[in-house]
Amino acid sequence: IGAKETGSLGIPISDNGDSLTVNSLSIYCAPKGVSVGKEKDVGKLSLSMDRRCSNCTTAFVDRQALINHCSTTGHKPQCGDDEDEAKTVPAPNELFTAFCNVALNRAMGERMARWGSDFVDPGNFTDPSDRQGKSLGVHIFRAYTCDFGISRASTGGLTLSLTVDLKAKVIRKRSLLENIYNGKNPNTTTLDRSAINRAKRTYGSEIVICTYDKRCYSVIE
């Protein structure tokens, strides 16, 4: 939100006049019984600082920008200490897995393209052919669906497990326009009334997928 001073009521004001009041704060950790690995010892005296200002609604992309802001305005960064660590409470299993899945989907979206609820690598596909070696006119992609969940390990304790489903996504190499014109140039070819009616009967209410964003659309007249 914009870097604005607090108003007359002590509420930070943003650029467009909206305000946000935090009524409660809960610092969650991993649920009880879930193994998350060995924690790193940071010493008895530690101080954590994020890139938010504690006096206004400004957040910064790096620490130096926060330091410059505080030097100019006299504000202070938002800090936490060992008392904040003591306030952590174990998260419910549903909340913990939901958080992990949000982070997982975001990471998958940075590396792959979303196709519905799945993720595919647009540059990695196979071009199948029949027994005579003739191309079938489709591209087959490997589609992945990943979800985190909590399961019981062989040792008896709970652990965070990753489930990966592999599917096949098939897309035709020929576009809808190429099918309608049967490979002819649509800029120079004029369809007669019978061809138009035949195309309406064949492709009307069908679902097509756009190749550049993998989104599906309905064919209407």
Side-chain angles (χ1 to χ4, degrees), residues 9 75 80 131 179 192 195:
L9 300 179
H75 292 177
R131 296 180 179 180
N179 286 330
D192 54 21

Side-chain angles (χ1 to χ4, degrees), residues 38-46:
K38 185 178 180 180
E39 295 184 357
K40 183 179 179 181
D41 186 10
V42 295
K44 294 183 179 180
L45 299 177
S46 62

Side-chain angles (χ1 to χ4, degrees), residues 177-188:
L177 193 61
E178 291 174 336
N179 286 330
I180 293 177
Y181 283 87
N182 197 21
K184 299 178 182 179
N185 189 352
N187 296 321
T188 58

Side-chain angles (χ1 to χ4, degrees), residues 16-36:
N16 56 7
D18 295 334
S19 62
L20 175 66
T21 302
V22 179
N23 295 321
S24 63
L25 173 65
S26 299
I27 305 176
Y28 289 110
C29 61
K32 290 183 178 180
V34 176
S35 175
V36 294

Side-chain angles (χ1 to χ4, degrees), residues 95-116:
L95 181 62
F96 181 69
T97 54
F99 172 80
C100 294
N101 284 318
V102 168
L104 175 63
N105 287 329
R106 186 169 184 177
M108 292 286 291
E110 293 176 354
R111 299 292 300 273
M112 310 180 79
R114 179 180 287 275
W115 189 336

Side-chain angles (χ1 to χ4, degrees), residues 3-219:
K4 297 299 180 181
E5 302 292 337
T6 56
S8 58
L9 300 179
I11 301 176
I13 304 300
S14 65
D15 290 328
N16 56 7
D18 295 334
S19 62
L20 175 66
T21 302
V22 179
N23 295 321
S24 63
L25 173 65
S26 299
I27 305 176
Y28 289 110
C29 61
K32 290 183 178 180
V34 176
S35 175
V36 294
K38 185 178 180 180
E39 295 184 357
K40 183 179 179 181
D41 186 10
V42 295
K44 294 183 179 180
L45 299 177
S46 62
L47 180 67
S48 61
M49 179 181 67
D50 58 23
R51 295 185 294 271
R52 291 181 296 125
C53 179
S54 62
N55 299 97
C56 63
T57 60
T58 312
F60 300 89
V61 296
D62 54 42
R63 186 175 299 179
Q64 187 60 42
L66 173 60
I67 295 175
N68 295 338
H69 168 76
C70 294
S71 301
T72 304
T73 60
H75 292 177
K76 296 181 180 180
Q78 183 68 36
C79 300
D81 51 22
D82 292 335
E83 294 182 359
D84 292 333
E85 298 294 333
K87 298 177 183 178
T88 59
V89 294
N93 293 346
E94 296 80 6
L95 181 62
F96 181 69
T97 54
F99 172 80
C100 294
N101 284 318
V102 168
L104 175 63
N105 287 329
R106 186 169 184 177
M108 292 286 291
E110 293 176 354
R111 299 292 300 273
M112 310 180 79
R114 179 180 287 275
W115 189 336
S117 60
D118 306 321
F119 293 92
V120 299
D121 183 1
N124 186 12
F125 57 85
T126 58
D127 189 358
S129 57
D130 57 16
R131 296 180 179 180
Q132 287 74 32
K134 184 179 178 180
S135 176
L136 296 179
V138 296
H139 287 160
I140 300 178
F141 296 85
R142 290 184 177 182
Y144 301 90
T145 303
C146 304
D147 290 293
F148 276 120
I150 295 179
S151 60
R152 189 167 299 277
S154 58
T155 57
L158 298 178
T159 184
L160 185 66
S161 59
L162 176 63
T163 302
V164 180
D165 292 332
L166 177 60
K167 305 176 183 177
K169 293 287 189 178
V170 181
I171 185 172
R172 294 183 180 273
K173 295 168 58 176
R174 297 183 62 183
S175 66
L176 177 62
L177 193 61
E178 291 174 336
N179 286 330
I180 293 177
Y181 283 87
N182 197 21
K184 299 178 182 179
N185 189 352
N187 296 321
T188 58
T189 304
T190 302
L191 298 178
D192 54 21
R193 177 57 57 183
S194 62
I196 294 176
N197 293 333
R198 183 170 58 254
K200 289 181 179 181
R201 291 193 303 268
T202 304
Y203 302 106
S205 302
E206 292 291 331
I207 304 297
V208 296
I209 185 169
C210 191
T211 55
Y212 64 85
D213 61 357
K214 301 298 185 294
R215 297 186 63 181
C216 297
Y217 300 91
S218 298
V219 178

